[in-house]
């Protein structure tokens, strides 16, 4: 990869371990690459299936079609030495966009303990093994990004991503204030090209913001298939799934067991969950997470994807600030929901648990780049 610069800043100085009893990554149906198929076709042919979705791929089967990987037994992998590349890479994600960056999945509890292997060393080993796939993806992404920037300039909505990110950095404290988020979201609807400088929130809009946050959360938790539902691996290693029902406006809390069965544990009306005040230590952790999002290439790729989906009607700065505010509101709302069910609070612990619940979904958001 001599001619391709890889950004390891997100994993630098971090450690990662694989805690006993977790198995979260085993709920993500792993793709089986062409060079890996022989082992499974020869020894476990019935465990290979076509994944669901617009671009199906050959993957390992899940228990009862919705549980963990069929090879997970007693929260341990029975084909560990032959596990697919996806399993070997987790919790690292190689994102190919305008730049190449290794991102760390914070839904994995093993990256929060401060124990384990040096994350940057592991990431470099993974990148070396993925060199061929990275080179191919870089060529494809380069073409897509050139086309995207061309459309932005043609539509008059082109901005400077680094200046937009710098503006967020200068105002990072404000982004933990729900009223400030509301003001930003209001301004992007009225200002052709908005700026964050001098902006202040208004406490009168709290109820409206709660409604907007609940609506966003319902959309992010809505699915007809439990396989696609967000999973929260709690402090006791339970797999919790929250399913939104738009017809009733309720969110059902389900527990997924090791056999692939779901048991209902509780339910709440989305409108009854109000974003709760964040404690000072919770705000500090939230600021760190916002700063991380602000530097992720996959987040920028998600913003660009949304701009493309909206036919380049929004200025790049407006799209970026809007996407960031919506993301933070969703996280705050999820923290409040977890506090409702688990009593996790809105301090550092509560925000950490919300990030653990949220980050895998954030990394799974649509982008104009790709993970390899």
């Amino acid at each position: 990869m001599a001619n391709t610069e890889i950004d390891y800043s997100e994993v630098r100085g971090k450690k990662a371990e694989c805690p006993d009893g977790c198995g979260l990554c085993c709920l993500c149906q792993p793709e089986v690459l062409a060079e890996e198929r022989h082992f499974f076709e020869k020894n476990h042919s019935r465990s290979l299936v076509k994944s669901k979705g617009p671009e199906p791929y050959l993957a390992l089967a899940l228990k009862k079609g919705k549980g963990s990987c069929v090879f997970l037994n007693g929260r341990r992998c029975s084909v560990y030495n032959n596990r697919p590349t996806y399993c070997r890479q987790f919790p690292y994600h190689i994102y190919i966009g305008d730049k190449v960056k290794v991102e760390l999945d914070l839904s994995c509890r093993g990256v929060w303990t401060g124990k384990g292997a040096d994350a940057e060393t592991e990431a470099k080993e993974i990148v070396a093994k993925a060199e061929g796939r990275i080179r191919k993806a870089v060529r494809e992404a380069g073409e897509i990004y050139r086309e995207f920037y061309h459309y932005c300039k043609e539509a008059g909505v082109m901005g400077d991503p680094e200046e937009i990110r710098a503006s967020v950095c200068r105002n990072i404290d404000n982004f933990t204030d729900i009223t400030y988020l509301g003001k930003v979201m209001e301004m992007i609807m009225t200002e052709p090209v908005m700026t964050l400088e001098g902006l202040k929130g208004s406490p009168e809009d709290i109820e409206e913001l709660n409604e907007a946050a609940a609506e966003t959360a319902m959309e992010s938790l809505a699915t007809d298939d439990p396989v696609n539902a967000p999973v929260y691996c709690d402090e006791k290693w339970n797999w919790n799934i929250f399913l939104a029902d738009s017809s009733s406006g309720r969110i059902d809390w389900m527990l997924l067991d090791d056999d692939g069965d779901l048991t209902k544990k509780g339910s709440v009306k989305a409108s009854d969950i109000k974003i709760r005040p964040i404690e000072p230590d919770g705000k500090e952790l939230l600021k760190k997470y916002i700063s991380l999002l602000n530097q992720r290439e996959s987040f920028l790729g998600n913003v660009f994807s949304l701009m493309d989906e909206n036919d380049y009607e929004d200025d790049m700065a407006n799209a970026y600030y809007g996407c960031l505010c919506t993301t933070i509101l969703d996280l705050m709302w999820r923290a409040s929901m977890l506090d409702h069910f688990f009593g996790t609070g809105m301090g550092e612990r509560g925000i950490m648990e919300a990030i653990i619940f949220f980050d895998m979904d954030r990394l799974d958001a649509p982008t104009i780049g790709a993970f390899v």
Side-chain angles (χ1 to χ4, degrees), residues 131-355:
E131 180 174 347
R133 290 182 291 123
I134 292 174
R135 287 190 185 280
K136 180 176 182 291
V138 165
R139 290 193 297 270
E140 293 172 349
E143 186 67 31
I144 292 170
Y145 269 75
R146 281 191 293 273
E147 186 178 83
F148 170 78
Y149 288 136
H150 169 75
Y151 288 144
C152 283
K153 290 174 182 176
E154 198 173 58
V157 297
M158 186 66 190
D160 180 350
E162 293 313 309
E163 175 50 38
I164 294 168
R165 284 169 158 171
S167 180
V168 171
C169 284
R170 290 192 296 271
N171 294 276
I172 198 82
D173 286 342
N174 294 328
F175 278 93
T176 63
D177 177 2
I178 184 175
T179 67
Y180 180 82
L181 301 179
K183 190 63 177 178
V184 173
M185 294 172 74
E186 176 189 325
M187 294 292 287
I188 64 176
M189 302 298 291
T190 58
E191 297 294 321
V193 183
M194 73 162 293
T195 175
L196 297 177
E197 311 311 324
L199 221 56
K200 292 183 179 179
S202 173
E204 290 82 20
D205 300 329
I206 292 290
E207 188 56 40
E208 189 175 326
L209 281 167
N210 271 305
E211 291 175 7
E215 185 178 334
T216 298
M218 286 290 286
E219 289 176 4
S220 67
L221 299 176
T223 178
D224 294 328
D225 188 348
V227 172
N228 299 319
V231 180
Y232 165 56
C233 183
D234 65 32
E235 295 159 302
K236 296 180 179 179
W237 310 115
N238 296 309
W239 298 329
N240 302 274
I241 293 178
F242 300 90
L243 299 174
D245 182 348
S246 56
S247 61
S248 66
R250 301 191 71 84
I251 293 175
D252 291 332
W253 166 30
M254 315 289 288
L255 205 62
L256 177 67
D257 66 22
D258 288 20
D259 296 323
D261 292 318
L262 286 168
T263 303
K264 186 173 178 178
K265 300 293 289 184
S267 180
V268 65
K269 282 193 70 172
S271 58
D272 288 341
I273 299 292
K274 309 296 182 184
I275 293 178
R276 303 178 184 184
I278 303 176
E279 296 169 19
D281 60 344
K283 284 192 174 186
E284 287 303 309
L285 180 55
L286 180 56
K287 278 198 299 185
K288 290 179 182 178
Y289 185 62
I290 295 169
S291 180
L292 181 147
L293 290 177
N294 193 41
Q295 293 303 315
R296 273 187 179 169
E297 291 302 310
S298 64
F299 181 81
L300 188 63
N302 177 226
V303 174
F304 290 173
S305 175
L306 294 173
M307 290 177 68
D308 181 68
E309 186 180 315
N310 291 327
D311 295 324
Y312 301 88
E313 292 182 356
D314 301 316
D315 180 80
M316 186 178 290
N318 292 34
Y320 191 94
Y321 300 143
C323 188
L324 185 60
C325 288
T326 302
T327 296
I328 299 167
L329 272 177
D330 192 352
L331 179 65
M332 287 178 171
W333 193 92
R334 291 197 195 196
S336 301
M337 185 186 72
L338 291 182
D339 187 33
H340 171 84
F341 284 120
F342 298 92
T344 44
M346 297 297 284
E348 184 178 49
R349 176 194 172 205
I351 297 302
M352 183 186 82
E353 293 303 314
I355 294 170

